[in-house]
Amino acid sequence: MIYDAPRFYPGGDRYIEVELGDEMGFELNFRVHSLAAAIRQAGISGMVELIPEMASLQVSYDPDCISYDDMVREVTTLAASAGGSEDVELDSRLYYVPVLYFDPWTTACVEDYRAKIADKTPDPELLCELNNLAGRRELVRHHSGTEYWVAALGFWPGLCSLMPLDPAHNLVAPKYNPPRTWTPKGTIGLGGAITCIYPDQTPGGYQIFARTPMPIWDREQKLPAFREDLALFRAGDRVRFIPIDREEWDHIDAQVTAGTYQHPDIGYQRFSLRKYRGWLAERAARGGAHV
């Protein structure tokens, strides 16, 4: 549910956890980012940093400049002003992410897990089974057939949590139990109803079925897209997965290695909640979307 008013919890003497609800949905997440934008725009003296998450945001503040009670009062006022207004629009970049589905690296990773840790249904087949898909081709069409909303960044630098903006393309799956000890860099995974891109080789628990050669995090900041930040995405960006073949993968990978790769984005646009809701209503009136 989405709370009528924010709930505040102190985190030591410099942080406030602001919870706006207890569900995992786009409307709540959009409200989180709307409030974060309003706090930044207000320029509250003593506010140090904001960390938006799926259903909450963390406010870091300087207690020598503003008290806990005063910061709570400021955020409460801004939340009441923003509310659930559908007139809110947020800056949003759109990135095209090239993806090789059922690539050899994630396939080897799954087989390594099945041989050494626990046998399980291979991830692509499990996703098809759980989501009533006819096979791998339908899984590709389903997964790549919508834009995704970058709902949050965290757990690992640059790791993004992505929500499908077209509900007709929702996929669900449980996480690994126990988790994997390694996952190839650039792997696409799905856990619950969230898609992620692993920014580096890390342990993991999402079902995996594809990989991108496009870096989304670069500690050395070699490519132009990372000149201002180590992480590519920002919360509120959008992602569209573009299926590619092995030849295209090798071409992009060579460009990345040479330091000449240009990330395919189309710059900033304004994401309108009102227009998004209208689009959903229009699709529902047409009888819903089917893949």
Side-chain angles (χ1 to χ4, degrees):
M1 64 178 288
I2 297 177
Y3 301 150
D4 293 333
R7 299 179 183 180
F8 297 92
Y9 302 92
D13 62 353
R14 293 176 179 272
Y15 297 91
I16 303 174
E17 181 74 7
V18 185
E19 291 187 0
L20 302 186
D22 62 358
E23 63 184 27
M24 193 82 77
F26 172 80
E27 290 273 344
L28 175 55
N29 186 257
F30 191 88
R31 192 172 292 205
V32 168
H33 295 302
S34 298
L35 179 57
I39 294 172
R40 290 192 182 97
Q41 189 172 13
I44 302 170
S45 177
M47 198 279 288
V48 177
E49 186 181 15
L50 291 175
I51 305 174
E53 273 298 336
M54 304 294 285
S56 64
L57 67 159
Q58 190 175 76
V59 180
S60 169
Y61 67 100
D62 182 350
D64 291 330
C65 297
I66 187 169
S67 69
Y68 173 88
D69 289 339
D70 285 343
M71 181 59 83
V72 167
R73 193 173 300 113
E74 293 276 6
V75 174
T76 300
T77 300
L78 291 169
S81 299
S85 172
E86 65 176 13
D87 292 328
V88 175
E89 295 184 354
L90 296 177
D91 286 337
S92 177
R93 300 173 300 178
L94 174 59
Y95 277 93
Y96 295 111
V97 178
V99 171
L100 180 60
Y101 285 92
F102 319 124
D103 63 282
W105 306 280
T106 56
T107 300
C109 178
V110 172
E111 291 307 311
D112 184 65
Y113 178 91
R114 296 177 67 202
K116 297 177 180 176
I117 298 179
D119 195 13
K120 67 183 289 294
T121 303
D123 300 18
E125 279 64 43
L126 182 64
L127 284 165
C128 292
E129 178 184 321
L130 294 175
N131 294 280
N132 297 316
L133 302 177
R136 290 187 170 200
R137 293 182 65 178
E138 188 174 354
L139 174 58
V140 173
R141 285 197 297 271
H142 208 94
H143 187 259
S144 63
T146 180
E147 290 181 7
Y148 290 80
W149 175 257
V150 180
L153 297 165
F155 297 105
W156 185 270
L159 192 150
C160 52
S161 295
L162 306 173
M163 292 179 173
L165 285 170
D166 186 345
H169 289 259
N170 280 343
L171 294 168
V172 295
K175 294 181 181 178
Y176 275 47
N177 185 21
R180 291 181 305 277
T181 55
W182 64 282
T183 310
K185 176 182 178 179
T187 290
I188 313 301
L190 189 141
I194 298 296
T195 287
C196 81
I197 306 173
Y198 288 83
D200 205 351
Q201 178 161 317
T202 69
Y206 282 21
Q207 307 292 330
I208 57 178
F209 50 95
R211 193 181 179 206
T212 178
M214 187 184 93
I216 64 165
W217 178 70
D218 181 4
R219 74 182 76 188
E220 298 179 351
Q221 297 181 278
K222 288 181 178 177
L223 297 173
F226 299 106
R227 282 177 184 156
E228 295 183 1
D229 203 325
L230 300 179
L232 179 66
F233 299 129
R234 297 169 191 161
D237 284 344
R238 286 162 296 136
V239 166
R240 184 83 187 222
F241 293 110
I242 307 298
I244 60 173
D245 58 19
R246 179 59 189 268
E247 181 180 354
E248 183 66 11
W249 164 284
D250 290 338
H251 177 68
I252 294 173
D253 189 49
Q255 289 183 313
V256 171
T257 301
T260 59
Y261 182 70
Q262 297 283 339
H263 284 70
D265 79 275
I266 59 173
Y268 275 106
Q269 301 170 317
R270 298 288 287 174
F271 187 94
S272 164
L273 183 58
R274 179 189 298 277
K275 291 180 179 177
Y276 174 63
R277 286 174 173 170
W279 177 74
L280 289 179
E282 191 178 302
R283 289 172 70 82
R286 293 202 306 262
H290 300 280
V291 179

